[in-house]
Amino acid sequence: MTSVSSHVPSLQPIPEDAIMLYARQDSPHEYWAPTSGIPKQQVVFLQSTVFELDGPRSVRCNISNKENNLQIAHVLRQSIEKSHQTRLAEVWGLKANEQKFNVHSRRNLFYLEASMHDAYDSTQWALLPEKHVLEHISQNRDKPAILYDTYYKDVKLWTYRFFASKKRHMRFLFIYDTFDENTFEALYFPFTDVTIVSHISPLFVIAEMGCKVKHAKLYDAWVNKNKMSAHLHPVADEFETVRVVAAAWLGTRTREPKQRVKRLGCRKGQEAKPHYPGDSR
């Protein structure tokens, strides 16, 4: 692995709300990425991490590989409740290792172009860890030492599958060439074979999905087999695993699909007879 110092340019003074980013070492262009309150030191850590793990051309959108209009995005939302932060610090083994939960950790930050950042925050797409990673985390979800040593202690590269929630949200996706910004590949919904490699930790990815699927509409979009889009059916069990693990970590009530009951009309004074979908009158 190439050392960080050989790639990271000297940073100019960082403004209060932004940091100067370089798309690559030999690029004459300079790009501003809003930090949205992220501490300056954490932004520098993030830049150093992507340079070290991915090389000098890695300051790009982690999805589209685009180098313009970049923003620094949080995998797990900044607004996560303090009680949940305390809980995650315990179950992830941070407390046992005398560390505090840090929502601005480089394990929770990655580069996205502005449009992809907005789409992520509005749950138009999501990332899913590889199946063997999910299974390992699920089996050890109540073992802080294993979670810390495997998924938090060292920053590593992880592979994720990319999923869009519905076709109307994202019909196509452009993946730009690393060496020629005018060359790109157009991918079309449902993006079944799109994978990304990133330094973000699966712990944050799972926790964020757990926060989202607490809401009925998002539960239906990502977990409920009866209402989710057909292209997500092959991985429905994996999204369910994510939900269950996140619920165990966050101490939240798991949402289960309810069978809809329709009351048939009846005369006054008579008890309504329940009608279940599929039953004949």
Side-chain angles (χ1 to χ4, degrees):
M1 183 177 295
T2 310
S3 63
V4 179
S5 60
S6 63
H7 290 308
V8 180
S10 58
L11 293 175
Q12 297 181 9
I14 305 173
E16 290 298 323
D17 61 345
I19 180 173
M20 188 74 75
L21 299 176
Y22 294 82
R24 53 181 184 267
Q25 185 180 14
D26 57 346
S27 173
H29 305 291
E30 296 172 342
Y31 302 95
W32 293 90
T35 62
S36 303
I38 303 172
K40 300 174 185 179
Q41 185 181 24
Q42 295 301 133
V43 179
V44 175
F45 283 162
L46 171 64
Q47 186 180 15
S48 300
T49 298
V50 296
F51 269 85
E52 179 181 10
L53 295 178
D54 298 331
R57 310 176 81 89
S58 58
V59 183
R60 293 170 174 265
C61 175
N62 215 161
I63 306 298
S64 69
N65 206 37
K66 193 175 182 180
E67 63 178 353
N68 294 324
N69 200 20
L70 295 178
Q71 294 182 353
I72 298 175
H74 289 79
V75 179
L76 174 61
R77 62 194 64 190
Q78 294 189 70
S79 59
I80 182 172
E81 300 173 6
K82 290 291 185 181
S83 60
H84 288 168
Q85 294 184 28
T86 301
R87 173 70 178 168
L88 292 177
E90 293 179 358
V91 298
W92 290 354
L94 304 183
K95 187 175 181 180
N97 287 275
E98 300 182 351
Q99 295 185 30
K100 295 182 179 180
F101 181 88
N102 181 12
V103 75
H104 301 306
S105 168
R106 53 185 169 166
R107 303 163 185 81
N108 190 40
L109 300 176
F110 63 146
Y111 292 112
L112 293 176
E113 58 174 296
S115 60
M116 292 301 294
H117 190 179
D118 291 340
Y120 178 75
D121 287 346
S122 58
T123 326
Q124 295 180 24
W125 61 271
L127 297 176
L128 188 65
E130 291 181 293
K131 187 175 182 179
H132 70 91
V133 173
L134 273 180
E135 291 174 348
H136 185 263
I137 292 177
S138 178
Q139 294 168 1
N140 298 282
R141 60 179 179 264
D142 58 348
K143 299 176 181 177
I146 294 178
L147 294 179
Y148 179 83
D149 289 342
T150 308
Y151 302 103
Y152 197 94
K153 182 178 180 180
D154 298 318
V155 180
K156 310 173 184 176
L157 290 177
W158 302 95
T159 300
Y160 297 93
R161 284 170 289 176
F162 174 91
F163 292 96
S165 57
K166 295 182 182 296
K167 186 175 182 178
R168 69 173 182 267
H169 293 159
M170 189 173 293
R171 294 178 179 272
F172 48 82
L173 177 67
F174 296 126
I175 306 296
Y176 289 83
D177 184 83
T178 303
F179 298 95
D180 183 2
E181 61 184 11
N182 296 316
T183 302
F184 58 85
E185 180 183 4
L187 304 177
Y188 298 90
F189 185 89
F191 317 115
T192 53
D193 298 321
V194 176
T195 60
I196 73 162
V197 176
S198 178
H199 66 280
I200 57 177
S201 171
L203 302 180
F204 288 99
V205 173
I206 292 173
E208 173 60 17
M209 181 60 71
C211 291
K212 289 177 176 175
V213 299
K214 287 190 300 181
H215 304 283
K217 289 184 178 180
L218 300 182
Y219 175 86
D220 289 341
W222 293 108
V223 182
N224 190 343
K225 291 183 180 180
N226 298 323
K227 294 186 177 182
M228 66 168 50
S229 298
H231 74 285
L232 294 176
H233 286 176
V235 291
D237 291 340
E238 292 168 57
F239 275 114
E240 173 66 8
T241 299
V242 168
R243 180 189 70 83
V244 172
V245 172
W249 287 348
L250 299 173
T252 55
R253 180 182 301 176
T254 59
R255 182 183 295 275
E256 300 289 351
K258 297 180 180 179
Q259 187 174 19
R260 182 174 296 175
V261 178
K262 178 181 179 182
R263 295 286 175 177
L264 298 181
C266 59
R267 295 180 180 178
K268 185 177 181 180
Q270 293 181 336
E271 183 179 356
K273 180 181 178 181
H275 171 69
Y276 294 91
D279 292 348
S280 61
R281 292 197 178 192

